[in-house]
Amino acid sequence: MDLLKPSPHEPFHFDTWTQIEAKLAELGVELPHDDDIAALTRPISLAGHDLPNALMIHPVEGCDGDARGYPQELTFRRYRRFGAGGAGMIWLEATAVVFEGRANPRQLYLTPENRDGLHRLVEETHAAARAVFGETHRPMLVAQLTHSGRYSKPRGLPEPIIAHHSEPLDPRHKLSPDYPLIADAELDALQDQYVAAARLAWEAGFDAVDLKATHRYLINELLASHTREDSRYGGSFENRTRFLLEVARRIRAEVPEVVLTTRLNVYDALPYPWGFGMATDGTMAPDLAEPIELMRQLQAAGVAFVNLGYGNPYYNPHVERPYDTAEVGGYIPQEHPLVDIALMCDLNRQIHEALPELPLIATGFSWLRQFFPPVAAAMVKRGWAAMAGVGRMALAYPDFARELMETGSLTPTKLCISCSSCTQIMRDGGRAGCPVRDSEIYGPIFQLGRMRDPQVVRELAAQCRDCVAPTCEMACPAGVNVPGFVRALADGEERRAYEILRRNNPLPEICAHVCPAEVQCEGACVQQYIGTGAVPIRALQRYVAEKARREGWTVLQVPEEDSGYRVAVVGAGPAGVAAAVRLLEQGHRVTVFDAAPETGGAARELIPSERLDSEALDGELTAILDSDSRGRLERQYEVRLGEDLAVEGLLAEGFDAVFLGMGLGESAALPGATRPTEGVVDALSFLRVMKADPEAIVPEKVAVLGGGNTAIDAAMAAQRHGARDVYLVYRRSFAEMPAWPAERDQALEAGVHFLILTQPVDYVADRQGRLRAVEVVSTLLGEPDGSGRRRPLAQPESQRALPVDLLVEALGQQPSPAVRAALEGVDLTRGGLAAVDAGMQTSRPGVFAGGDLVNGGATLAQAVGEGFRAAEGIGEFLRGRSPR
C-alpha cells in the first residue's frame, strides 16, 4: 500500500465499519481490525506495574495553571474526570522544567514550590478512580517533562528557543537567519533541570516520567539538528541524540525509583534535513533507521516503554488558510485521515518487528470515533502496541474506558467530533477543553477566545450604532468614550481604539476582566432592545487592551519638561494607579505609597484569580508603570497611612498635593455580637489568605454574612477550598442584594445556599471560645430606609441557630481609627468616608481622594474614574501656584 500517495482530507462521515473498509479500499490502504476488544479491557502488566486495562489517555494540555505553574480548579477537575473514567494509564499534560520553556503563561511547571500542588493532582486522580472502581483500580500516572523550544511563550508572547534553523519553520515563526541558537552550555545546564524535575515528579507521586521528544519541541528539534554545526548536540547521530540519551541515563542513575519513558516522534513529516525519521532524499517518506537505533539505545539506558509520535497534525476549520502553522491553529493535513492512521499503524508494526522486547504505546485514534477500539485491539493483539489511547477524545469523553469495559462499545453522541475547537481555545490563549461535549464550562471560554480573532472583533464592533448622547458611555463610571473606541475597532484601527480607551481609563484590561459590564456599559446598550443583544463592549475592550499590552502601546507619554510639582499618592490600587498615570502625563513627579509589598491593591489581594488572572493584572500594571516615566515615578511599599504616614506629614515634607486612594483598612463586625476567639474572620482577611494559598483548606460548613460582591467572592472561595456547605446569610431579598447579578447567579449555580430574609444576630461558641453556630432570625421587609432599599424587620420569634464551623463577616468596610487620625483636616461623612467636591478635592486644600475612601467600595472602573478625575483636579489646583 502506498501511504504517501496524495489524498484529499475529508471529515468523518461513516456509520459502519463496512463503509470505512470501502474508503480504505478506495485509498489503497489497510487498517488492522478485530471486533474482540478484550485485549484493551483486561488487566496488563507494564514496567513492573499492574494496570487495570490497556487503555490510556494521552497528554492533552489544559493551559489552566496559574502564573507560577500551579494547577488550578479546572486542572484538578480534568484529572478527577480522567481518574473516574477508568483508563489504565493517564499521561499528564506537558509540564515545563524551566520557566523559559513554558508554552504559555498558564502551563504547568515543575518547581519545589509547585510540587505539593502536583501531589494533590495525583492524589485526587487516584481518589476519583477508587471512588468509581474500588481500591484495587490504580492507573499509572506519567508526568510529561517538556521544554517548548521554538514554541515557548512564557509571558504570552513568542520567545522562541531553537536548536537549529529550519527552512520550513523559521519563516512561520518570523525568525531571521541570524536568530541565535541555544548554546551547548545552556543545554548542558538544562540536563540538570530535567533531572531535578524528574525527582520532583517522583516526590509528587507520579509513577513515571516522560522525556517529551515530539511535535517540534526542543528535544525533538535536537534530534533533527542535522545542520547544527560545531556542537556536541548537532550534526552526527551521536550528537543529535546526546541530550535525550544523557538525560535518560542520568535520571535512571539519580532517580532510580521512577519509571522512565519517552514520547518520541519517529516521523516528523518535515523533509530532510529539517525532520527526524525522514528519508535523506528530501521526500516525505519515513526512514526508521535512526529512530529504531535511538530506541534501542534508550531501552539500554533504562527506558521502559516508548509512546510513539508522528508529525504535528491539527485539523482546524477555524483557520481559513489550508496549510498553516500550528502557531496560529494548525493545518488541514494533505492526506486523508485514514491514510494518516494507516501510516501510524504501519510505523508501529515496523518498530515492533525491529524491537520486539520494547513495549510501544499507540496513539492517533480519535478521528476513528466509535471504531477506534477494534483497530486498537487488533494492534495490541498483534503485539504492535502494548497499550492504545486517545488525547482529544478524552476531553470530550473522559469515561470512554469505563464504558468500553462495561458495555464493549462507545456512545457516538459523546465522542470527539475532530473539530479541533479544543486546540483553537489553546491558540486563542484560553483554558483548553471540549466546548462541544463539555459546553457548560468550555463553551463560554471558546467564545471568549474567538474574540481574539481580528475579523470576529471587527464584525461585532460594527454592530455599534454610534449613538448621539450614548447611554453606554453615561453608564461607564470611568466615562470612557465607548462608541469612539468601538467604531475605531470596526474600522480596523486598533491602536486608535486603545488610545481612545486610555484617555479616561489607564487600566482597561483589568477593568475588562472584573467590571460588571452587564449592569454598566452593556446594560445601557440600545442594541439589546433593537438588535440581537448588546454590543459585547467588555470583550472588545479586553481584546484591544490585551493587544496594546503585547504590542507595546501602553508606554506612558510623559512630557520632556518637568513641571516642578511633587504629588504624593497614597494607595497603589486602581484609584492610585489611575491618578499616578495622569499626574505623570501632566509632567509632575509622583511618589506612590502603599501598605502592600507590590502594586495592585485590592485587585491583587482580594479579587479571585478566576475573575482576574495574574497575566492581565501584572501584565498591564508592569507595562504601564515600568515604561519610561523619565525617572519621575517613585514607589514606596509597606508604608501605612496612620502608622507611617499622615496627611499633615506629607504636606510638611514638601509635597504640593496629596491623593488618598487607599482602601478603608477595617471590616465592619456584626453589631452587638460577642465574637468568639476562634472561627470568625473578616472577609478581606479571608480572601487574602485564600488567594495567597491555593492549598488552604476550610471547614465543611461555612457561613458568609452579607450580600455584596465581597460576600459572593468569599462564598465562592470557601467552596473552592473545600467547604461542603456554604451559606450566604442576607437580611434583605434578592431584589435588594447589592451583588452584581452575574456574580450572584454564578454562586447560585455553583450550589451556594442563599439564606435571604435572614438576619444574623449573635454567635454561639463553646467553652474554649470556638465558634459553633450563628444565631439568626427571619425578617420581613418594611418601608425603604435611607439607602432606598426596603428595611428588614426582624421577627424575634423565628430566632434559631445555624451550625457552622467558620463564619466570614462581609458586612462592609470602614476607615480604621488610625486612618481617621491621619486624615486631620479632612471632613468625613456620617458613614466615615471622605467628603469631596466635583473635582475630588476634600475639605483640606490640596488633598484629594477617590476609590474606597470616597465610595465605600464600588466597581474598579469607578475607582479608576475617580483617580483620573482627582488627577485632573490636582492639575487645576497646582496651575498658577509655585512649586514648593
Side-chain angles (χ1 to χ4, degrees):
M1 56 182 178
D2 187 357
L3 296 172
L4 300 175
K5 180 180 179 181
S7 53
H9 180 274
E10 67 176 288
F12 186 94
H13 61 262
F14 304 102
D15 296 315
T16 66
W17 181 255
T18 301
Q19 293 173 337
I20 293 179
E21 285 183 316
K23 176 58 69 173
L24 290 168
E26 178 186 324
L27 294 168
V29 297
E30 299 175 359
L31 280 180
H33 181 271
D34 193 322
D35 286 326
D36 179 6
I37 66 166
L40 299 178
T41 59
R42 61 176 170 243
I44 67 166
S45 180
L46 182 69
H49 287 250
D50 293 327
L51 307 185
N53 53 63
L55 292 163
M56 65 165 299
I57 292 175
H58 284 286
V60 281
E61 193 171 343
C63 309
D64 46 24
D66 66 10
R68 302 166 299 171
Y70 197 101
Q72 297 293 284
E73 177 52 35
L74 284 179
T75 323
F76 292 115
R77 176 183 183 268
R78 180 166 59 260
Y79 287 96
R80 286 194 297 264
R81 283 158 58 92
F82 287 170
M89 179 184 288
I90 300 172
W91 207 288
L92 192 78
E93 63 200 76
T95 303
V97 300
V98 291
F99 174 82
E100 62 272 18
R102 296 175 77 186
N104 64 78
R106 292 191 297 269
Q107 185 175 40
L108 299 184
Y109 178 22
L110 265 163
T111 67
E113 295 75 22
N114 294 342
R115 179 182 56 197
D116 289 347
L118 291 165
H119 175 69
R120 176 184 161 195
L121 196 66
V122 169
E123 290 297 302
E124 291 198 11
T125 303
H126 283 311
R130 289 193 301 269
V132 176
F133 301 99
E135 293 296 323
T136 60
H137 183 103
R138 190 183 188 281
M140 176 182 280
L141 299 188
V142 183
Q144 183 174 66
L145 312 184
T146 189
H147 186 300
S148 299
R150 68 173 56 236
Y151 296 105
S152 295
K153 291 184 180 180
R155 298 171 185 85
L157 293 175
E159 299 180 38
I161 297 173
I162 62 174
H164 67 257
H165 282 283
S166 170
E167 189 174 288
L169 297 180
D170 283 9
R172 298 179 181 181
H173 296 161
K174 301 179 182 178
L175 301 181
S176 64
D178 59 352
Y179 190 87
L181 307 182
I182 186 171
D184 281 11
E186 293 175 282
L187 289 168
D188 292 341
L190 186 59
Q191 285 198 27
D192 297 334
Q193 298 298 321
Y194 269 91
V195 175
R199 183 176 294 107
L200 288 170
W202 168 251
E203 292 172 353
F206 287 95
D207 303 295
V209 293
D210 156 33
L211 302 177
K212 182 180 181 182
T214 53
H215 304 336
R216 304 170 196 155
Y217 291 92
L218 185 61
I219 297 181
N220 179 213
E221 186 159 292
L222 282 168
L223 296 176
S225 290
H226 300 275
T227 60
R228 183 183 173 99
E229 299 176 350
D230 302 320
S231 167
R232 295 176 61 249
Y233 295 102
S236 68
F237 174 78
E238 179 185 5
N239 285 346
R240 286 182 285 111
T241 60
R242 182 185 306 277
F243 186 91
L244 178 57
L245 285 167
E246 288 187 353
V247 170
R249 292 174 185 132
R250 288 188 58 186
I251 292 175
R252 186 73 287 120
E254 298 178 44
V255 196
E257 305 90 346
V258 74
V259 174
L260 183 60
T261 182
T262 180
R263 182 154 158 75
L264 175 70
N265 254 33
V266 296
Y267 171 65
D268 277 355
L270 279 176
Y272 178 88
W274 320 115
F276 181 62
M278 305 301 298
T280 56
D281 60 4
T283 67
M284 294 298 287
D287 184 338
L288 295 181
E290 285 196 346
I292 287 172
E293 177 56 28
L294 173 59
M295 284 185 279
R296 182 176 287 112
Q297 294 188 32
L298 284 168
Q299 189 175 19
V303 168
F305 51 90
V306 176
N307 187 329
L308 300 185
Y310 321 87
N312 192 14
Y314 291 99
Y315 168 59
N316 197 332
H318 307 293
V319 177
E320 294 181 2
R321 289 169 287 179
Y323 300 101
D324 213 332
T325 163
E327 188 69 28
V328 293
Y331 60 85
I332 299 175
Q334 298 183 54
E335 60 279 336
H336 194 286
L338 286 173
V339 174
D340 269 342
I341 298 167
L343 175 60
M344 175 272 291
C345 293
D346 192 59
L347 293 174
N348 268 73
R349 176 190 62 78
Q350 293 182 56
I351 293 170
H352 169 68
E353 290 174 354
L355 300 169
E357 301 303 316
L358 178 63
L360 304 177
I361 309 293
T363 185
F365 297 105
S366 287
W367 189 87
L368 283 172
R369 302 194 192 186
Q370 66 266 36
F371 302 108
F372 106 75
V375 175
M379 292 183 69
V380 172
K381 275 190 175 181
R382 298 180 186 189
W384 299 358
M387 299 186 76
V390 292
R392 288 178 298 171
M393 185 188 290
L395 294 176
Y397 197 170
D399 55 342
F400 75 93
R402 178 179 60 78
E403 291 204 1
L404 277 178
M405 290 187 289
E406 292 177 353
T407 70
S409 62
L410 297 174
T411 305
T413 54
K414 295 173 68 175
L415 291 159
C416 169
I417 63 172
S418 305
C419 66
S420 275
S421 293
C422 53
T423 301
Q424 186 63 48
I425 293 176
M426 183 171 65
R427 304 303 178 203
D428 287 338
R431 294 164 172 82
C434 181
V436 177
R437 307 301 190 197
D438 200 3
S439 59
E440 183 176 349
I441 300 294
Y442 293 101
I445 295 174
F446 176 79
Q447 294 301 329
L448 181 62
R450 292 287 65 222
M451 287 298 301
R452 288 186 169 91
D453 185 316
Q455 183 60 39
V456 173
V457 167
R458 285 194 292 272
E459 291 173 358
L460 291 171
Q463 299 175 17
C464 177
R465 293 181 176 269
D466 198 12
C467 306
V468 176
T471 51
C472 56
E473 180 178 335
M474 296 176 184
C476 174
V480 167
N481 177 3
V482 175
F485 100 80
V486 173
R487 291 306 305 175
L489 272 181
D491 295 338
E493 299 181 40
E494 295 172 336
R495 184 157 190 168
R496 184 166 71 89
Y498 178 70
E499 290 168 353
I500 293 170
L501 268 173
R502 269 290 300 273
R503 289 173 193 165
N504 293 79
N505 187 348
L507 302 175
E509 185 176 1
I510 295 173
C511 286
H513 277 261
V514 302
C515 281
E518 68 279 359
V519 296
Q520 291 182 167
C521 54
E522 291 179 18
C525 177
V526 299
Q527 274 292 99
Q528 64 182 316
Y529 308 115
I530 56 178
T532 56
V535 175
I537 298 166
R538 172 166 47 192
L540 297 177
Q541 178 172 317
R542 184 170 175 174
Y543 167 83
V544 72
E546 186 177 284
K547 185 174 181 68
R549 169 169 56 84
R550 293 181 173 177
E551 295 292 332
W553 303 340
T554 58
V555 174
L556 280 171
Q557 302 300 314
V558 178
E560 185 174 344
E561 186 177 351
D562 188 331
S563 72
Y565 295 107
R566 295 175 64 227
V567 182
V569 172
V570 182
V577 170
V581 166
R582 189 70 190 108
L583 290 165
L584 289 165
E585 291 174 342
Q586 293 172 4
H588 307 315
R589 292 183 174 274
V590 178
T591 301
V592 177
F593 302 92
D594 198 86
E598 53 188 333
T599 305
R604 177 180 301 282
E605 290 189 329
L606 305 179
I607 298 177
S609 56
E610 287 75 15
R611 288 176 52 206
L612 177 61
D613 63 39
S614 57
E615 180 185 357
L617 176 66
D618 292 326
E620 187 163 50
L621 289 174
T622 300
I624 295 171
L625 296 179
D626 288 358
S627 63
D628 183 19
S629 60
R630 300 186 186 275
R632 295 178 197 155
L633 174 63
E634 180 185 355
R635 285 176 269 185
Q636 295 188 24
Y637 296 117
E638 299 183 283
V639 178
R640 293 180 178 275
L641 186 72
E643 296 179 14
D644 309 297
L645 299 173
V647 169
E648 183 67 36
L650 290 170
L651 293 173
E653 287 178 22
F655 285 102
D656 298 282
V658 174
F659 173 71
L660 303 172
M662 67 291 178
L664 292 172
E666 187 172 273
S667 294
L670 180 62
T674 302
R675 190 169 188 172
T677 57
E678 184 180 332
V680 178
V681 64
D682 69 89
L684 301 187
S685 299
F686 178 73
L687 287 170
R688 286 190 186 99
V689 171
M690 294 300 102
K691 187 165 186 180
D693 183 6
E695 290 294 289
I697 301 297
V698 301
E700 284 200 353
K701 293 184 178 181
V702 178
V704 179
L705 308 185
N709 293 308
T710 301
I712 298 291
D713 283 345
M716 294 292 285
Q719 190 177 70
R720 284 192 298 271
H721 286 260
R724 181 177 181 180
D725 290 297
V726 180
Y727 304 94
L728 193 142
V729 183
Y730 180 58
R731 60 184 183 159
R732 291 185 169 99
S733 71
F734 278 121
E736 286 81 19
M737 187 173 285
W740 303 329
E743 301 300 323
R744 179 199 66 202
D745 293 347
Q746 184 181 14
L748 279 167
E749 291 171 4
V752 172
H753 310 309
F754 279 67
L755 302 186
I756 59 170
L757 296 174
T758 304
Q759 181 168 319
V761 293
D762 205 351
Y763 302 124
V764 178
D766 61 19
R767 291 182 178 180
Q768 288 73 41
R770 293 187 296 260
L771 176 75
R772 286 292 174 258
V774 55
E775 291 280 354
V776 299
V777 296
S778 298
T779 62
L780 296 177
L781 295 182
E783 296 301 313
D785 60 16
S787 70
R789 294 174 294 167
R790 295 179 64 187
R791 185 188 305 276
L793 304 174
Q795 307 300 299
E797 70 280 2
S798 66
Q799 187 160 333
R800 59 201 182 276
L802 174 66
V804 291
D805 306 307
L806 174 68
L807 188 134
V808 182
E809 293 177 332
L811 299 169
Q813 303 166 46
Q814 59 194 12
S816 67
V819 169
R820 287 173 183 261
L823 297 177
E824 184 180 352
V826 175
D827 289 345
L828 304 180
T829 66
R830 290 180 61 186
L833 304 178
V836 296
D837 61 18
M840 309 305 293
Q841 186 168 207
T842 70
S843 57
R844 181 159 189 172
V847 178
F848 294 72
D852 290 359
L853 186 61
V854 170
N855 60 46
T859 66
L860 193 147
Q862 183 168 333
V864 167
E866 290 173 355
F868 234 49
R869 289 201 300 278
E872 294 292 342
I874 291 171
E876 289 292 330
F877 172 78
L878 295 177
R879 195 166 292 121
R881 295 172 181 263
S882 298
R884 295 191 180 191

